[in-house]
Amino acid sequence: MIKIHKNPDKDFVILNLTDFNMDENDWGNEETVSFLNNTIDELVKRVKPDLITFSGDFAHSEVPELYIKSREVFERIGIPWTFVFGNHDNQSGPETSSLLADMLSEDKNCLFEKGDPEMGVGNFVIEILENDKPIHALVMMDSHDREDIADEKGETKKVWGRLYKNQLEWYKSTVLEMGIKTTLITHIPPYVYKDAFKAAFNKEKDPKAVSFEESFDGSNWNDGYKSSFGVAHEGVCSYPLDCGEFQYIRDSKYTELVLVGHDHVNNFVIEYDGVKLAYATKTGSGCYYEKELNGGTVLTINKDGVKIRHEIVG
C-alpha cells in the first residue's frame, strides 16, 4: 500500500489524464506532440495538482520506445503520478505489461505497485492521510485487454476486457477492511455504465448532439439524475455481459466514485445507486478525439469525500 500525506489546510487535488494513445507516427509529428504537451502544461497550471493519475492507454501499441516517451512527459512535469494500464497497454500479455510497468516506474516520481500477478499488472491501493489518519483511498485496478467469448451461434469473437472475479473479491475485502471512502480507477468501463446512462439520459434527446457545455442543462437528464453532466458521443464500450462488478462495488459500502478511460469522446458523470460513475476526459489527439473534449479530469478530496469536474483545454 502506498501512503500520501495531505496538507490538512487544503483539499487534496488529483489531475487525471487518460488515453494518450500515441503511436510512432504521432510521436514523430511535432504538432501532435506539442498539442499533448501544451494540453498537459495548461492543465497543471490551472489545477496545481498534488497527484496525477493516468487511467490507461499510454500508447496505441506496446513499443517500448513509446512508453519511454510517455514517461518523459511525466518526468518533465515533476509531480508525483500513478497509473493503471489500458487494453492497448496489455495487448502482448502480462509479461510484456510487467516490463512496461517497470520502464514507467523508473521515474522517481512514479508511485506504482504491480500487486498480485494473478489479477493482472497494477492492482494496488493509495491511501490519502490527513494528520496521519486515512481519509480516502484510491484503488487502482487493471481491466486487461480484449478476451474471447462465444456468441449465440457458438462462434468465438473478441470483446472488451473486464475486472475478474478474483479482483472484485480483493476489491471488496480491501475496501471493507480499510473502512474509508474510496475511488476506484480503472480503464474499461464496467457494464453498469450502460445501465446508468440508459436510466439517466433523456431518451427524447440525441446524446451525440449535446455539447459538453449543454450537458449541464437539466433537461438532458431524467428526474433523479439532474446532477449528471458530461457527454456520450459514442457508445459504452464495456464487456458485453453484466458479470456483477457493480454488486461488488456496492457491497464494498465505501465506494464513492468509479473513474474510467477507454471511450475517448465520452465524459459523462452519473450518480447511480449511490455511486458516481464517471468517464475521464481524454488528453491529447492520439487515435481519435474531439478538440472540444480535450483536457483532463479533476478530483478534489477532503474528509467529506470526493468531488469531480472536467477541465477542458480544447
Side-chain angles (χ1 to χ4, degrees):
M1 182 181 293
I2 298 168
K3 296 179 183 291
I4 299 179
H5 290 269
K6 170 188 173 295
N7 182 338
D9 297 325
K10 63 184 288 291
D11 291 339
F12 189 87
V13 180
I14 297 172
L15 171 61
N16 189 87
L17 310 176
T18 196
D19 291 86
F20 291 172
N21 271 114
M22 289 174 59
D23 61 19
E24 295 96 325
N25 292 329
D26 291 324
W27 281 110
N29 185 308
E30 183 177 345
E31 184 176 349
T32 303
V33 174
S34 294
F35 186 73
L36 176 68
N37 285 326
N38 291 341
T39 296
I40 295 172
D41 288 348
E42 179 63 22
L43 288 168
V44 170
K45 179 182 175 182
R46 293 184 194 177
V47 174
K48 298 178 176 58
D50 299 296
L51 175 71
I52 295 175
T53 55
F54 187 84
S55 49
D57 278 2
F58 287 96
H60 205 57
S61 59
E62 290 182 304
V63 177
E65 290 75 16
L66 304 183
Y67 288 79
I68 293 173
K69 290 183 180 296
S70 290
R71 186 187 71 210
E72 289 172 347
V73 170
F74 292 96
E75 287 175 332
R76 179 178 63 80
I77 298 168
I79 293 171
W81 66 286
T82 188
F83 65 91
V84 293
F85 273 152
N87 53 293
H88 284 289
D89 306 313
N90 278 312
Q91 289 178 112
S92 299
E95 185 174 338
T96 299
S97 298
S98 180
L99 292 173
L100 295 174
D102 289 339
M103 192 176 297
L104 290 165
S105 300
E106 288 179 13
D107 177 17
K108 65 180 181 180
N109 289 308
C110 183
L111 308 174
F112 183 80
E113 293 178 353
K114 288 183 179 177
D116 184 348
E118 295 297 317
M119 299 193 300
V121 178
N123 295 275
F124 62 100
V125 177
I126 297 177
E127 268 192 349
I128 300 169
L129 290 78
E130 180 174 311
N131 295 323
D132 293 325
K133 180 180 178 181
I135 63 165
H136 201 93
L138 306 177
V139 181
M140 317 294 288
M141 295 184 74
D142 181 8
S143 56
H144 313 286
D145 187 18
R146 293 180 183 238
E147 62 179 85
D148 293 331
I149 189 173
D151 62 19
E152 62 277 2
K153 297 180 181 179
E155 298 176 353
T156 300
K157 62 179 182 179
K158 291 283 187 184
V159 297
W160 297 115
R162 59 194 167 104
L163 300 173
Y164 298 156
K165 185 177 180 180
N166 60 345
Q167 289 177 283
L168 293 165
E169 291 174 344
W170 169 80
Y171 178 81
K172 177 182 172 181
S173 63
T174 298
V175 173
L176 286 173
E177 183 178 351
M178 290 188 296
I180 55 175
K181 295 174 180 179
T182 299
T183 293
L184 166 60
I185 300 180
T186 188
H187 182 70
I188 298 174
Y191 186 90
V192 68
Y193 275 58
K194 294 177 181 285
D195 294 334
F197 188 75
K198 183 178 180 180
F201 193 75
N202 182 352
K203 65 180 181 180
E204 301 299 322
K205 302 267 188 164
D206 177 4
K208 294 183 179 180
V210 177
S211 70
F212 178 68
E213 292 77 12
E214 292 167 341
S215 73
F216 293 88
D217 184 338
S219 67
N220 294 301
W221 307 98
N222 294 324
D223 290 342
Y225 298 96
K226 296 295 185 180
S227 64
S228 303
F229 62 93
V231 304
H233 288 177
E234 62 180 309
V236 173
C237 295
S238 68
Y239 190 77
L241 303 174
D242 185 351
C243 298
E245 297 100 329
F246 194 53
Q247 186 65 51
Y248 281 93
I249 291 168
R250 283 181 300 184
D251 288 350
S252 72
K253 297 183 181 179
Y254 295 99
T255 306
E256 283 199 302
L257 173 69
V258 181
L259 182 66
V260 304
H262 192 51
D263 299 335
H264 297 186
V265 292
N266 289 344
N267 70 355
F268 65 72
V269 178
I270 297 169
E271 184 164 340
Y272 186 72
D273 204 3
V275 180
K276 290 187 179 73
L277 303 177
Y279 274 103
T281 293
K282 174 177 162 52
T283 313
S285 59
C287 191
Y288 69 95
Y289 84 117
E290 292 177 10
K291 191 172 183 180
E292 295 76 14
L293 296 176
N294 171 59
T297 298
V298 182
L299 308 183
T300 305
I301 294 172
N302 57 39
K303 62 183 179 181
D304 295 323
V306 58
K307 294 181 180 179
I308 181 171
R309 65 181 172 86
H310 298 303
E311 192 72 35
I312 304 298
V313 175

